[in-house]
């Protein structure tokens, strides 16, 4: 097993062992690509959502929130294009009976070519040292140039065929490139077929015709579009303004692997920003930068995040970029920023027969606004944060079992538990009583934990493993002078402070205001 795969496996078992994420319906052998969040997972997820919500709604006078229903009129999905175009091209392997996304097989082939080029570049960089000119090398090295030519030709054909819905050519490309089933090596493929990703259900019990068919929303965005005028009128917002929403979305993903990266039920944090027609690229660039800053504020190293423009634009977009994160299985989409034009509002206007126009008093003009969307998956954000935070490190001056520790270095504002209160000994009434007193006071301000079981070192390790930024220990000196030891998670530094100082210390490091500033 590669080191990366091994680390990923450890991450998944850490999430289960410490109550962050459980497989759904586990006692019935689980339900593929559906997960439940345990006590600490639920806290972390709530904190991620609070950080997103506050940075949108609290920090922008011109962004307001919404909580629309999951069930919506089925025509909404006709107008949005999801009934006709929210498809993935699937292909089955006749020997292994495994199902794949045809586009992902070709993208995987392209990624391998990119890796080959990157390897040649790295070899040359080592050979030439400081004088190495990467751009020149990529142009002049015959092997790299050949890979690049091949890459560009495949990408060009792939983009065209995907855009035109030419599934026969996607199949031809898979055959010509001799792409094999990644698990078995077989090249015995079926034709490529379109597969709609929406789940449907029946509305109203007994009826079962097409009219009573409802879809579980595959994105939260449409709830915002159909409420655009309700929100604008009731809040008296002027363009440009935004509507933010957090909620569940459902997609019948063909290939759902990699833990909570690709789920069938997940949560999105989406904001639609309504702008004047013609100003969408200015706002698209604004939100690209703003969203990158939001990720960086959490302490995510810049080299773990990058922009990737879309090769294939969705049916509603005239520009689109992903913020990719370096997950344990490589750089993949974490967030999408899309310039959606007036596609959605115009389609809803047409199909519903209701005007969805805005009167711009400065221009003295009615128009359908253009929209720039930011859309980040809450679960993917969770995976990005926890995979980067989970670390194993050696503890200076410690021996045996204590020489290493597993620590979750989450940003303190997002940590599930902010402070643990620990009496030095369990069976000393004066210590446990005092510790309870401290805990009962601090719990008004933050989520705290009282823990008296096991030796103090083990209790510190338990808190490290769930990412608690501070541990407060009550000892015999506390009874004399009302001071406690406060230990900081990352540095493991311990400091003696007065009990009445603890709340301020913990608050300063864990409040969200620090992130916004
Ligand atoms: N409204 C636009 C939209 O839905 P998207 O790129 O399809 O765009 C936005 O999805 C974000 O939702 C993605 O960047 C990802 O973080 C998250 N997401 C999409 N599909 C997902 C899935 N199956 N499981 C978990 N997260 C998903």
């Amino acid at each position: 097993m590669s080191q990366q795969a091994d680390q990923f496996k450890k991450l998944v078992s850490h999430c289960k062992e410490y109550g962050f994420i459980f497989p759904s319906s586990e006692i019935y052998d689980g339900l593929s690509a559906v997960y439940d969040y345990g006590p600490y997972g639920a806290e972390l997820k709530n904190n991620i959502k609070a950080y997103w919500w506050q940075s949108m709604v609290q920090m922008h006078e011109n962004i307001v929130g919404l909580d629309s229903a999951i069930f919506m009129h089925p025509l909404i999905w006709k107008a949005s294009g999801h009934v006709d175009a929210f498809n993935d091209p699937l292909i089955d392997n006749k020997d292994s009976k495994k199902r794949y996304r045809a586009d992902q097989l070709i993208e995987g082939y392209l990624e391998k070519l990119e890796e080959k080029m990157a390897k040649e570049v790295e070899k040359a960089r080592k050979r030439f040292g400081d004088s190495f000119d990467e751009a020149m090398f990529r142009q002049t090295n015959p092997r790299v140039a050949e890979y690049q030519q091949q890459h560009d030709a495949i990408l060009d054909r792939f983009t065209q065929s995907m855009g035109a819905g030419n599934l026969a050519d996607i199949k031809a490309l898979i055959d010509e490139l001799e792409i094999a089933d990644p698990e078995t090596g077989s090249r015995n493929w079926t034709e490529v077929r379109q597969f709609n990703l929406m789940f449907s259900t029946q509305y109203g019990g007994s009826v079962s015709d097409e009219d009573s068919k409802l879809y579980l929303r595959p994105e939260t965005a449409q709830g915002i579009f159909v409420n655009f005028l309700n929100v604008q009128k009731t809040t008296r917002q002027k363009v440009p303004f935004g509507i933010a929403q957090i909620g569940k979305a459902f997609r019948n993903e063909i290939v759902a692997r990699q833990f909570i990266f690709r789920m069938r039920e997940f949560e999105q944090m989406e904001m639609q920003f309504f702008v004047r027609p013609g100003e969408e690229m200015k706002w698209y660039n604004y939100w690209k930068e703003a969203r990158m800053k939001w990720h960086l504020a959490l302490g995510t190293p810049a080299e773990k995040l990058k922009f990737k423009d879309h090769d294939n634009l969705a049916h509603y977009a005239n520009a689109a970029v992903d913020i990719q994160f370096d997950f344990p299985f490589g750089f993949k989409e974490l967030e999408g920023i899309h310039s959606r034009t007036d596609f959605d509002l115009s389609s809803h206007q047409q199909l519903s027969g209701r005007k969805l126009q805005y009167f711009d008093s400065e221009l003295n003009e009615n128009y359908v606004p253009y929209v720039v969307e930011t859309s980040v998956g809450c679960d993917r954000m969770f995976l990005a944060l926890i995979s980067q935070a989970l670390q194993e490190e050696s503890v200076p001056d410690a021996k045996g079992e204590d020489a290493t520790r597993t620590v979750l270095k989450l940003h303190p504002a997002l940590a599930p538990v902010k402070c643990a209160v620990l009496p030095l000994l369990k069976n000393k009434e004066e210590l446990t009583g005092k510790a309870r007193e401290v805990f009962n006071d601090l719990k008004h301000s933050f989520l705290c934990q009282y823990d008296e079981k096991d030796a103090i070192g083990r209790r510190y390790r338990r808190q490290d493993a769930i990412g608690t930024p501070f541990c407060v220990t009550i000892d015999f000196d506390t009874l004399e002078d009302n001071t406690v030891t406060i230990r900081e998670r990352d540095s493991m530094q311990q400091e003696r402070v007065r009990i009445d100082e603890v709340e301020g210390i913990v608050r300063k490091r864990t409040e969200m205001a620090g992130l916004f500033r």
Side-chain angles (χ1 to χ4, degrees):
M1 195 184 286
S2 72
Q3 200 191 347
Q4 267 189 336
D6 189 39
Q7 269 176 359
F8 190 40
K9 218 174 140 197
K10 276 192 190 148
L11 172 79
V12 176
S13 47
H14 188 90
C15 283
K16 171 132 196 271
E17 188 182 341
Y18 285 93
F20 283 89
I21 297 171
F22 308 127
S24 160
S25 323
E26 200 184 7
I27 59 169
Y28 292 95
D29 294 334
L31 185 65
S32 154
V34 187
Y35 290 89
D36 298 335
Y37 285 82
Y40 301 120
E43 292 296 337
L44 175 54
K45 210 173 166 208
N46 281 340
N47 293 341
I48 293 171
K49 289 193 267 189
Y51 172 44
W52 185 89
W53 186 266
Q54 287 174 33
S55 68
M56 287 292 178
V57 176
Q58 186 179 316
M59 298 302 293
H60 294 90
E61 283 178 61
N62 62 347
I63 298 182
V64 290
L66 178 74
D67 184 1
S68 70
I70 289 175
F71 287 151
M72 290 194 276
H73 196 288
L75 283 181
I76 285 176
W77 305 110
K78 185 76 187 156
S80 69
H82 285 81
V83 171
D84 298 317
F86 195 54
N87 301 320
D88 275 345
L90 72 83
I91 191 165
D92 291 307
N93 189 282
K94 291 183 198 162
D95 296 328
S96 69
K97 310 275 181 254
K98 296 236 177 247
R99 179 162 284 183
Y100 294 93
R101 269 177 57 180
D103 55 333
Q104 286 182 346
L105 290 177
I106 296 171
E107 278 163 7
Y109 188 93
L110 290 171
E111 271 167 27
K112 276 197 192 123
L113 282 177
E114 282 159 23
E115 279 163 22
K116 281 182 184 167
M117 288 188 271
K119 254 189 199 154
E120 295 293 334
V121 168
E122 277 324 297
K123 266 200 293 190
R125 192 189 306 282
K126 278 195 190 128
R127 216 170 41 239
F128 294 112
D130 288 344
S131 61
F132 182 61
D133 179 343
E134 182 176 332
M136 176 70 87
F137 178 78
R138 280 185 181 268
Q139 274 172 19
T140 53
N141 180 276
R143 193 175 296 172
V144 173
E146 197 189 314
Y147 286 145
Q148 190 66 55
Q149 218 176 13
Q150 203 188 345
H151 178 278
D152 294 348
I154 296 169
L155 182 60
D156 209 34
R157 185 169 152 194
F158 171 56
T159 310
Q160 277 193 25
S161 299
M162 285 294 288
N166 184 351
L167 300 184
D169 194 52
I170 297 288
K171 168 68 173 23
L173 201 49
I174 289 175
D175 289 337
E176 283 166 40
L177 298 174
E178 300 187 349
I179 296 176
D181 180 333
E183 288 188 32
T184 64
S186 157
R187 296 200 188 100
N188 192 7
W189 295 111
T190 60
E191 294 306 308
V192 178
R193 281 174 297 143
Q194 290 289 25
F195 180 80
N196 193 287
L197 298 184
M198 282 196 294
F199 284 103
S200 63
T201 185
Q202 225 53 47
Y203 190 57
S206 56
V207 238
S208 66
D209 55 28
E210 267 300 298
D211 290 348
S212 64
K213 187 172 179 181
L214 279 194
Y215 296 101
L216 299 191
R217 65 181 179 197
E219 60 170 12
T220 60
Q222 296 305 323
I224 296 181
F225 292 128
V226 297
N227 277 296
F228 154 70
L229 274 187
N230 282 338
V231 174
Q232 190 271 322
K233 286 187 174 147
T234 50
T235 58
R236 288 170 286 110
Q237 286 289 344
K238 286 197 161 84
V239 163
F241 77 96
I243 304 177
Q245 168 155 246
I246 298 178
K248 289 267 180 161
F250 306 82
R251 295 184 189 178
N252 199 1
E253 298 283 357
I254 301 168
V255 184
R257 294 200 196 105
Q258 295 162 326
F259 197 33
I260 56 169
F261 180 79
R262 198 177 297 286
M263 299 154 91
R264 297 204 166 100
E265 173 182 340
F266 57 99
E267 224 165 340
Q268 288 186 316
M269 307 187 283
E270 298 202 297
M271 194 278 296
Q272 312 298 321
F273 201 67
F274 300 88
V275 305
R276 281 181 182 164
E279 291 194 352
E280 70 273 16
M281 288 321 287
K282 179 179 92 181
W283 288 110
Y284 173 73
N285 288 323
Y286 170 87
W287 281 109
K288 245 179 96 170
E289 298 312 317
R291 293 304 303 148
M292 185 57 102
K293 274 192 198 151
W294 184 89
H295 290 282
L296 291 169
L298 287 171
T300 306
E303 64 274 16
K304 286 210 152 243
L305 292 161
K306 69 177 181 194
F307 288 117
K308 171 96 169 57
D309 286 318
H310 283 204
D311 296 325
N312 294 305
L313 287 178
H315 58 274
Y316 51 72
N318 69 357
V321 66
D322 288 340
I323 294 179
Q324 290 192 331
F325 176 79
D326 190 7
F327 286 99
F329 34 83
F331 272 98
K332 296 268 182 249
E333 174 185 350
L334 171 62
E335 167 154 10
I337 294 129
H338 313 122
S339 169
R340 292 182 78 125
T341 67
D342 59 352
F343 174 86
D344 303 270
L345 289 180
S346 293
S347 302
H348 288 306
Q349 186 169 260
Q350 209 175 354
L351 202 60
S352 68
R354 301 280 180 91
K355 273 210 160 37
L356 288 177
Q357 291 191 345
Y358 167 79
F359 177 70
D360 191 323
S361 54
E362 268 177 46
L363 300 179
N364 199 23
E365 205 180 283
N366 270 309
Y367 55 77
V368 176
Y370 271 47
V371 173
V372 174
E373 163 186 75
T374 74
S375 175
V376 57
C378 183
D379 313 87
R380 277 197 199 170
M381 195 58 210
F382 189 112
L383 183 58
L385 289 173
I386 205 160
S387 63
Q388 157 198 319
L390 187 63
Q391 296 177 18
E392 254 176 55
E393 57 181 30
S394 49
V395 180
D397 306 326
K399 290 202 181 76
E401 240 185 31
D402 293 338
T404 56
R405 69 167 183 156
T406 302
V407 54
L408 204 52
K409 292 191 173 173
L410 290 168
H411 190 290
L414 300 189
V417 177
K418 304 299 186 210
C419 182
V421 181
L422 320 169
L424 186 63
L425 299 170
K426 177 179 165 181
N427 42 14
K428 290 276 176 214
E429 177 69 37
E430 13 358 342
L431 292 181
T432 54
K434 186 75 185 168
R436 278 267 170 217
E437 216 178 89
V438 173
F439 169 78
N440 283 329
D441 188 41
L442 285 177
K443 77 178 182 193
H444 294 105
S445 305
F446 334 97
L447 184 62
C448 297
Q449 219 171 52
Y450 173 86
D451 189 6
E452 58 179 29
K453 192 171 175 285
D454 299 320
I456 194 79
R458 288 199 61 185
R459 282 182 269 164
Y460 282 155
R461 292 293 182 278
R462 272 205 293 270
Q463 296 299 332
D464 286 346
I466 61 166
T468 307
F470 293 102
C471 289
V472 168
T473 305
I474 279 70
D475 57 23
F476 290 104
D477 287 344
T478 311
L479 307 177
E480 302 294 319
D481 60 8
N482 259 340
T483 65
V484 291
T485 302
I486 185 162
R487 170 191 183 266
E488 198 272 329
R489 178 194 69 198
D490 297 349
S491 63
M492 291 186 281
Q493 291 289 319
Q494 302 193 12
E495 211 187 322
R496 200 79 200 168
V497 300
R498 289 197 321 269
I499 289 176
D500 61 11
E501 290 175 311
V502 171
E503 203 264 358
I505 294 171
V506 178
R507 177 183 297 285
K508 193 159 176 245
R509 286 279 288 132
T510 60
E511 68 181 3
M512 289 231 176
L515 281 169
F516 303 135
R517 282 194 192 106

